[in-house]
Amino acid sequence: MYNNILTEIDLGIGIITLNRPERHNAFDDVLIGELSAAIEQMATDPGVRVLVISSTGKSFCAGADLNWMKRAASYSTAENLHDSRVLAEMLRRLAQCPKPTVARVQGAAYGGGVGLVACCDVAIGTFDVQFSLTEVKLGLVPAVISPHVIAAIGERYARRYMLTAERFSAAEAYRIGLLHELVTDVEALDEAVGEIVDALLNNGPFALAACKELISAVAWKPLSSEVVEDTALRITRMRASPEGREGMSAFLEKRKPNWIAQG
Ligand code: COA
């Protein structure tokens, strides 16, 4: 069904694998369209509770396909803008996916590849991964990825790495918050991703979606009366919800909640 990605759903885990290794998984209009459609499919499929973004080949993702970007430069302004919006919307779709998302990062991540990692809720990478926000080197700006990258690493490090376009290591990515966990090799990567996925699968699916909404509603906001009231409303709703009632009852009755496979 897709040409440049692979998709798989198994035991509640959806996996989207970037599969354009001959171009280091650089995204052009086709890959962006496929990724967008697959993210939407995973987001709405009740059989998917966690989404993993993975890759084949030497790189996780070499960012935007520069042939595609160059082509877009010759389009009319309206067509050029349309292409940029499609990419921005794909990233937003991933960042706002109601299911928790995990980036399984092996190989280089450049430009938009850093954006993809930043859009995921949890990011785990191998020690040898190299990152770079190369856009300014190419006379461009890391525009559509910037909200996600700045949310992940903060304005201070965004200033350094967006302006220098220097390469930085996985250890540095870990230090500045782009990666949550560093592992030695791909075997350890699969194990670490598996542990995170298992932890996520233990949690209430509606609670996870509500928690993602909560984080984006509260993050970066001053502690105003509106924010405080909003948080009170959110817990009020959740504790009265079927999932909240079930989760609390299961704890008090010393049994597993109904979203965890029994036995
Ligand atoms: N867009 C289009 N093509 C790309 C690409 C991109 N972002 N990244 C890699 N490719 C292509 C190369 O042009 C090359 O094509 P060719 O075989 O026709 O010559 C092919 O993928 C292999 O890349 P190559 O550079 O030979 O491999 P490498 O292992 O030496 O280096 C990278 C891999 C990813 C480090 C390097 O290709 C690179 O720096 N890419 C640009 C990344 C970037 O700046 N992205 C941000 C864009 S905004």
Side-chain angles (χ1 to χ4, degrees), residues 89-131:
E89 283 303 327
M90 183 274 283
L91 293 169
R92 174 156 70 175
R93 207 170 257 195
L94 180 58
Q96 294 186 340
C97 176
K99 319 282 171 71
T101 53
V102 183
R104 176 195 178 276
V105 191
Q106 57 79 36
Y110 288 161
V114 179
L116 275 187
V117 175
C119 284
C120 290
D121 299 314
V122 183
I124 307 176
T126 54
F127 269 107
D128 55 354
V129 177
Q130 294 273 325
F131 295 89

Short mmCIF file of all heavy atoms in Angstrom, two decimals, residues 89-131:
data_model
loop_
_atom_site.label_atom_id
_atom_site.label_comp_id
_atom_site.label_asym_id
_atom_site.label_seq_id
_atom_site.Cartn_x
_atom_site.Cartn_y
_atom_site.Cartn_z
N GLU A 89 2.05 19.97 8.62
CA GLU A 89 0.88 19.25 9.15
C GLU A 89 1.24 17.82 9.52
O GLU A 89 0.74 17.27 10.50
CB GLU A 89 -0.27 19.25 8.13
CG GLU A 89 -1.02 20.56 8.07
CD GLU A 89 -1.61 20.99 9.43
OE1 GLU A 89 -2.01 20.14 10.24
OE2 GLU A 89 -1.63 22.21 9.68
N MET A 90 2.12 17.20 8.72
CA MET A 90 2.56 15.83 9.04
C MET A 90 3.23 15.83 10.42
O MET A 90 2.97 14.97 11.26
CB MET A 90 3.49 15.31 7.95
CG MET A 90 3.95 13.88 8.12
SD MET A 90 5.40 13.71 9.15
CE MET A 90 6.68 14.23 8.00
N LEU A 91 4.10 16.82 10.64
CA LEU A 91 4.81 16.90 11.93
C LEU A 91 3.82 17.16 13.07
O LEU A 91 3.92 16.57 14.14
CB LEU A 91 5.88 17.99 11.88
CG LEU A 91 7.06 17.70 10.93
CD1 LEU A 91 7.92 18.94 10.75
CD2 LEU A 91 7.91 16.53 11.42
N ARG A 92 2.85 18.03 12.81
CA ARG A 92 1.85 18.31 13.85
C ARG A 92 1.04 17.04 14.17
O ARG A 92 0.75 16.75 15.32
CB ARG A 92 0.92 19.44 13.41
CG ARG A 92 -0.19 19.60 14.44
CD ARG A 92 -0.82 20.93 14.46
NE ARG A 92 -1.63 21.21 13.29
CZ ARG A 92 -2.35 22.32 13.17
NH1 ARG A 92 -2.32 23.22 14.11
NH2 ARG A 92 -3.07 22.53 12.10
N ARG A 93 0.71 16.31 13.12
CA ARG A 93 -0.07 15.09 13.31
C ARG A 93 0.69 14.12 14.22
O ARG A 93 0.12 13.46 15.08
CB ARG A 93 -0.27 14.45 11.93
CG ARG A 93 -1.49 13.62 11.83
CD ARG A 93 -1.73 13.23 10.40
NE ARG A 93 -2.78 14.02 9.80
CZ ARG A 93 -3.38 13.70 8.65
NH1 ARG A 93 -3.01 12.61 8.00
NH2 ARG A 93 -4.34 14.44 8.17
N LEU A 94 2.00 14.02 13.99
CA LEU A 94 2.81 13.12 14.82
C LEU A 94 2.90 13.67 16.25
O LEU A 94 2.71 12.94 17.21
CB LEU A 94 4.22 12.98 14.21
CG LEU A 94 5.18 12.06 14.97
CD1 LEU A 94 4.62 10.63 15.10
CD2 LEU A 94 6.55 12.02 14.29
N ALA A 95 3.16 14.97 16.36
CA ALA A 95 3.31 15.56 17.70
C ALA A 95 2.02 15.46 18.50
O ALA A 95 2.04 15.29 19.71
CB ALA A 95 3.75 17.02 17.57
N GLN A 96 0.88 15.55 17.80
CA GLN A 96 -0.41 15.55 18.51
C GLN A 96 -1.13 14.21 18.41
O GLN A 96 -2.31 14.13 18.73
CB GLN A 96 -1.30 16.66 17.95
CG GLN A 96 -0.74 18.04 18.26
CD GLN A 96 -1.67 19.16 17.86
OE1 GLN A 96 -2.58 18.98 17.03
NE2 GLN A 96 -1.46 20.33 18.42
N CYS A 97 -0.42 13.20 18.00
CA CYS A 97 -1.04 11.87 17.92
C CYS A 97 -1.60 11.51 19.31
O CYS A 97 -0.89 11.66 20.31
CB CYS A 97 0.03 10.85 17.50
SG CYS A 97 -0.58 9.15 17.48
N PRO A 98 -2.85 11.07 19.40
CA PRO A 98 -3.41 10.78 20.73
C PRO A 98 -2.79 9.54 21.38
O PRO A 98 -2.96 9.32 22.58
CB PRO A 98 -4.90 10.56 20.44
CG PRO A 98 -4.99 10.26 18.99
CD PRO A 98 -3.84 10.94 18.32
N LYS A 99 -2.08 8.74 20.59
CA LYS A 99 -1.39 7.58 21.16
C LYS A 99 0.04 8.00 21.50
O LYS A 99 0.62 8.84 20.79
CB LYS A 99 -1.32 6.43 20.14
CG LYS A 99 -2.58 6.21 19.32
CD LYS A 99 -3.65 5.49 20.09
CE LYS A 99 -5.00 5.44 19.39
NZ LYS A 99 -5.11 4.59 18.22
N PRO A 100 0.65 7.42 22.54
CA PRO A 100 2.05 7.76 22.81
C PRO A 100 2.95 7.29 21.67
O PRO A 100 2.69 6.24 21.06
CB PRO A 100 2.36 7.01 24.11
CG PRO A 100 1.25 6.07 24.34
CD PRO A 100 0.08 6.46 23.49
N THR A 101 3.97 8.08 21.38
CA THR A 101 4.86 7.79 20.25
C THR A 101 6.29 7.62 20.75
O THR A 101 6.74 8.33 21.65
CB THR A 101 4.80 8.93 19.22
OG1 THR A 101 5.05 10.16 19.91
CG2 THR A 101 3.44 9.02 18.55
N VAL A 102 7.00 6.70 20.12
CA VAL A 102 8.38 6.40 20.52
C VAL A 102 9.25 6.43 19.27
O VAL A 102 8.95 5.77 18.28
CB VAL A 102 8.47 4.99 21.17
CG1 VAL A 102 9.91 4.71 21.64
CG2 VAL A 102 7.50 4.85 22.34
N ALA A 103 10.34 7.22 19.31
CA ALA A 103 11.29 7.22 18.19
C ALA A 103 12.40 6.23 18.49
O ALA A 103 13.04 6.31 19.55
CB ALA A 103 11.87 8.63 18.00
N ARG A 104 12.60 5.31 17.54
CA ARG A 104 13.68 4.31 17.67
C ARG A 104 14.78 4.80 16.72
O ARG A 104 14.70 4.60 15.52
CB ARG A 104 13.13 2.95 17.25
CG ARG A 104 14.15 1.82 17.22
CD ARG A 104 13.58 0.64 16.45
NE ARG A 104 14.52 -0.46 16.36
CZ ARG A 104 15.48 -0.54 15.44
NH1 ARG A 104 15.63 0.41 14.54
NH2 ARG A 104 16.28 -1.58 15.43
N VAL A 105 15.78 5.46 17.29
CA VAL A 105 16.72 6.20 16.44
C VAL A 105 18.05 5.47 16.29
O VAL A 105 18.78 5.28 17.26
CB VAL A 105 17.00 7.62 17.01
CG1 VAL A 105 17.76 8.46 15.99
CG2 VAL A 105 15.70 8.31 17.41
N GLN A 106 18.31 5.07 15.08
CA GLN A 106 19.63 4.52 14.74
C GLN A 106 20.10 5.26 13.50
O GLN A 106 19.29 5.63 12.65
CB GLN A 106 19.57 3.00 14.53
CG GLN A 106 18.59 2.51 13.46
CD GLN A 106 19.10 2.64 12.03
OE1 GLN A 106 20.30 2.46 11.78
NE2 GLN A 106 18.22 2.97 11.11
N GLY A 107 21.37 5.54 13.39
CA GLY A 107 21.87 6.24 12.20
C GLY A 107 21.62 7.74 12.29
O GLY A 107 20.99 8.22 13.23
N ALA A 108 22.10 8.46 11.29
CA ALA A 108 22.05 9.92 11.34
C ALA A 108 20.63 10.47 11.32
O ALA A 108 19.73 9.88 10.71
CB ALA A 108 22.81 10.48 10.13
N ALA A 109 20.45 11.59 11.97
CA ALA A 109 19.18 12.33 11.89
C ALA A 109 19.53 13.78 11.62
O ALA A 109 20.13 14.44 12.48
CB ALA A 109 18.38 12.18 13.17
N TYR A 110 19.18 14.25 10.45
CA TYR A 110 19.51 15.62 10.06
C TYR A 110 18.23 16.40 9.76
O TYR A 110 17.24 15.83 9.28
CB TYR A 110 20.39 15.62 8.79
CG TYR A 110 21.80 15.14 9.04
CD1 TYR A 110 22.59 14.71 7.99
CD2 TYR A 110 22.34 15.12 10.31
CE1 TYR A 110 23.90 14.27 8.20
CE2 TYR A 110 23.63 14.69 10.54
CZ TYR A 110 24.41 14.26 9.50
OH TYR A 110 25.67 13.84 9.73
N GLY A 111 18.30 17.71 9.97
CA GLY A 111 17.19 18.58 9.61
C GLY A 111 15.85 18.04 10.09
O GLY A 111 15.65 17.83 11.28
N GLY A 112 14.95 17.79 9.14
CA GLY A 112 13.63 17.27 9.47
C GLY A 112 13.68 15.96 10.25
O GLY A 112 12.72 15.62 10.95
N GLY A 113 14.78 15.22 10.13
CA GLY A 113 14.94 13.99 10.91
C GLY A 113 15.00 14.31 12.40
O GLY A 113 14.45 13.58 13.24
N VAL A 114 15.67 15.42 12.74
CA VAL A 114 15.69 15.87 14.14
C VAL A 114 14.26 16.26 14.54
O VAL A 114 13.81 15.97 15.65
CB VAL A 114 16.65 17.08 14.31
CG1 VAL A 114 16.66 17.57 15.75
CG2 VAL A 114 18.07 16.72 13.86
N GLY A 115 13.55 16.87 13.59
CA GLY A 115 12.15 17.24 13.84
C GLY A 115 11.29 16.03 14.16
O GLY A 115 10.50 16.05 15.11
N LEU A 116 11.46 14.97 13.40
CA LEU A 116 10.67 13.75 13.65
C LEU A 116 10.94 13.21 15.06
O LEU A 116 10.01 12.83 15.76
CB LEU A 116 11.06 12.65 12.66
CG LEU A 116 10.42 12.61 11.29
CD1 LEU A 116 10.85 11.34 10.55
CD2 LEU A 116 8.90 12.66 11.38
N VAL A 117 12.23 13.19 15.43
CA VAL A 117 12.59 12.70 16.77
C VAL A 117 11.93 13.59 17.83
O VAL A 117 11.35 13.10 18.80
CB VAL A 117 14.13 12.70 16.96
CG1 VAL A 117 14.51 12.30 18.39
CG2 VAL A 117 14.80 11.75 15.95
N ALA A 118 12.01 14.90 17.60
CA ALA A 118 11.47 15.85 18.58
C ALA A 118 9.95 15.74 18.72
O ALA A 118 9.39 16.03 19.77
CB ALA A 118 11.86 17.28 18.19
N CYS A 119 9.28 15.32 17.66
CA CYS A 119 7.82 15.19 17.69
C CYS A 119 7.35 14.00 18.53
O CYS A 119 6.18 13.94 18.91
CB CYS A 119 7.26 15.00 16.27
SG CYS A 119 7.22 16.52 15.33
N CYS A 120 8.24 13.03 18.74
CA CYS A 120 7.83 11.83 19.47
C CYS A 120 7.88 12.07 20.98
O CYS A 120 8.67 12.86 21.46
CB CYS A 120 8.73 10.65 19.09
SG CYS A 120 8.43 10.09 17.40
N ASP A 121 7.04 11.36 21.71
CA ASP A 121 6.97 11.55 23.16
C ASP A 121 8.22 11.01 23.85
O ASP A 121 8.67 11.56 24.85
CB ASP A 121 5.74 10.81 23.73
CG ASP A 121 4.46 11.35 23.15
OD1 ASP A 121 4.32 12.59 23.08
OD2 ASP A 121 3.60 10.55 22.73
N VAL A 122 8.74 9.91 23.34
CA VAL A 122 9.93 9.30 23.93
C VAL A 122 10.89 9.02 22.78
O VAL A 122 10.47 8.57 21.71
CB VAL A 122 9.59 7.97 24.65
CG1 VAL A 122 10.84 7.39 25.32
CG2 VAL A 122 8.48 8.15 25.68
N ALA A 123 12.18 9.30 23.00
CA ALA A 123 13.17 9.05 21.95
C ALA A 123 14.36 8.30 22.54
O ALA A 123 14.93 8.71 23.55
CB ALA A 123 13.63 10.36 21.33
N ILE A 124 14.69 7.20 21.88
CA ILE A 124 15.81 6.37 22.33
C ILE A 124 16.73 6.19 21.14
O ILE A 124 16.28 5.95 20.02
CB ILE A 124 15.32 4.99 22.83
CG1 ILE A 124 14.22 5.19 23.89
CG2 ILE A 124 16.47 4.18 23.41
CD1 ILE A 124 13.60 3.92 24.38
N GLY A 125 18.04 6.31 21.36
CA GLY A 125 18.97 6.18 20.24
C GLY A 125 20.23 5.44 20.62
O GLY A 125 20.55 5.30 21.81
N THR A 126 20.93 4.99 19.60
CA THR A 126 22.22 4.32 19.83
C THR A 126 23.32 5.39 19.95
O THR A 126 23.19 6.50 19.43
CB THR A 126 22.55 3.34 18.68
OG1 THR A 126 22.47 4.06 17.45
CG2 THR A 126 21.59 2.17 18.65
N PHE A 127 24.41 5.00 20.60
CA PHE A 127 25.52 5.92 20.87
C PHE A 127 26.11 6.57 19.62
O PHE A 127 26.64 7.66 19.69
CB PHE A 127 26.66 5.16 21.58
CG PHE A 127 26.54 5.22 23.06
CD1 PHE A 127 26.14 4.10 23.79
CD2 PHE A 127 26.83 6.39 23.75
CE1 PHE A 127 26.03 4.16 25.17
CE2 PHE A 127 26.73 6.45 25.13
CZ PHE A 127 26.32 5.33 25.85
N ASP A 128 26.04 5.85 18.49
CA ASP A 128 26.73 6.36 17.30
C ASP A 128 25.87 7.30 16.45
O ASP A 128 26.31 7.76 15.40
CB ASP A 128 27.23 5.18 16.45
CG ASP A 128 26.09 4.23 16.09
OD1 ASP A 128 24.96 4.43 16.59
OD2 ASP A 128 26.32 3.28 15.31
N VAL A 129 24.65 7.60 16.88
CA VAL A 129 23.80 8.49 16.08
C VAL A 129 24.40 9.89 16.05
O VAL A 129 24.88 10.40 17.06
CB VAL A 129 22.37 8.58 16.67
CG1 VAL A 129 21.52 9.55 15.87
CG2 VAL A 129 21.70 7.22 16.70
N GLN A 130 24.40 10.49 14.86
CA GLN A 130 24.85 11.88 14.71
C GLN A 130 23.63 12.72 14.37
O GLN A 130 22.78 12.28 13.59
CB GLN A 130 25.81 11.97 13.53
CG GLN A 130 27.11 11.25 13.72
CD GLN A 130 28.13 12.12 14.42
OE1 GLN A 130 28.16 13.31 14.20
NE2 GLN A 130 28.93 11.54 15.28
N PHE A 131 23.58 13.90 14.94
CA PHE A 131 22.48 14.82 14.66
C PHE A 131 23.02 16.11 14.07
O PHE A 131 24.15 16.50 14.37
CB PHE A 131 21.73 15.17 15.94
CG PHE A 131 21.03 14.01 16.58
CD1 PHE A 131 21.69 13.21 17.51
CD2 PHE A 131 19.72 13.72 16.27
CE1 PHE A 131 21.04 12.13 18.10
CE2 PHE A 131 19.07 12.64 16.86
CZ PHE A 131 19.74 11.85 17.79
#
